[in-house]
Amino acid sequence: DFTNVQRAAQAYNGLWFDLDNNPNTGVYGKEHQEHWYLPNNNPVPVAITSFQPYVENGAVRLAWETWTDAGLTGFELLRAIGSGDLRALSDRMLPGNQHDFIDRSVIPGTRYEYQLVAHSSDGFAASSPRVSAVVPAAGLALRQNVPNPFAAQTTVSYTLPERGNVEVSVYDVAGRRVATIFSGERSAGDHAVEWNGVGDNGERVGAGIYFCRIEAGTRSVTRKMLVVR
């Protein structure tokens, strides 16, 4: 009966919580959550009280709280693509006093599920429910070339929202194409290409203002660059 269950839980240092917000279930509306231990084991409660993902600047920040940090040896972070199999994000545990982690290895336009596992010094572990986060698809972006101005060489960085054909070209102030930096298929995500200031005619372009343009599908972005000699 519930009376004996409650006495047993108290005898074994059990902790009780209203897990389902239903006063008609459990013992006096509360259910048992923690592991049960013999009294002389002096256990450390392991409970993850919150675990939340936040999508920020193209990455997923995971934040969590625990019942106590005392006796925690570390955390494991597991990740799955969609509702697939969970895999460890790192081959080593995070410190027991750490309470957030930024997952920068995500792909735009992808849904992920995460789970946190807290390990205690007495060998027990507690796992959080799986939580999900959707990383928005990135838009077509062309960043300012670096360095700018430049004399010999510059780097052009860009982001593609999806896999497809892309063309990165340079135009003069009259709108004439003077160089094709890249033309071909690229995967979604961040890319970079170098330009040495040489035009399609094989000669170095003169000093002045030029425009770098990226085209992908029906979209295009243009940025100004300056060549010095």
Side-chain angles (χ1 to χ4, degrees):
D1 62 61
F2 282 128
T3 301
N4 288 336
V5 171
Q6 185 182 34
R7 288 174 179 171
Q10 292 172 342
Y12 289 101
N13 296 334
L15 298 178
W16 292 72
F17 304 92
D18 187 4
L19 299 178
D20 58 3
N21 295 317
N22 186 346
N24 298 317
T25 59
V27 179
Y28 301 121
K30 296 183 178 182
E31 293 78 34
H32 187 260
Q33 175 172 307
E34 298 300 317
H35 295 286
W36 293 3
Y37 309 87
L38 291 174
N40 58 4
N41 280 352
N42 189 24
V44 175
V46 178
I48 300 169
T49 56
S50 70
F51 180 49
Q52 296 293 330
Y54 303 92
V55 179
E56 302 172 347
N57 301 319
V60 177
R61 181 173 68 88
L62 300 154
W64 59 89
E65 295 294 336
T66 59
W67 181 264
T68 177
D69 289 346
L72 290 180
T73 57
F75 297 98
E76 281 184 284
L77 267 177
L78 308 177
R79 186 185 74 180
I81 297 177
S83 300
D85 294 335
L86 289 165
R87 298 180 181 276
L89 267 176
S90 174
D91 57 0
R92 61 177 63 181
M93 284 200 300
L94 302 176
N97 60 353
Q98 185 168 333
H99 288 274
D100 68 345
F101 179 87
I102 299 178
D103 181 11
R104 303 186 188 277
S105 63
V106 294
I107 299 173
T110 305
R111 176 180 172 273
Y112 295 94
E113 290 190 356
Y114 296 90
Q115 187 175 53
L116 179 71
V117 182
H119 293 268
S120 68
S121 56
D122 50 22
F124 288 92
S127 299
S128 74
R130 288 171 71 144
V131 297
S132 64
V134 177
V135 182
L140 178 64
L142 175 63
R143 285 172 282 282
Q144 186 65 58
N145 60 298
V146 178
N148 186 52
F150 73 98
Q153 186 165 297
T154 191
T155 301
V156 176
S157 301
Y158 57 94
T159 300
L160 296 179
E162 58 192 10
R163 186 179 188 89
N165 291 320
V166 60
E167 189 168 84
V168 183
S169 306
V170 177
Y171 294 81
D172 62 18
V173 292
R176 296 182 295 257
R177 184 192 303 232
V178 297
T180 302
I181 302 178
F182 178 83
S183 181
E185 187 178 26
R186 287 290 199 192
S187 61
D190 296 330
H191 301 278
V193 61
E194 306 288 333
W195 185 45
N196 58 6
V198 175
D200 290 340
N201 60 6
E203 299 178 0
R204 298 189 67 82
V205 301
I209 296 174
Y210 293 85
F211 296 92
C212 182
R213 182 178 184 183
I214 181 172
E215 297 177 83
T218 60
R219 291 163 291 184
S220 65
V221 183
T222 302
R223 283 194 178 272
K224 183 168 65 175
M225 57 173 57
L226 181 60
V227 177
V228 295
R229 295 292 183 228

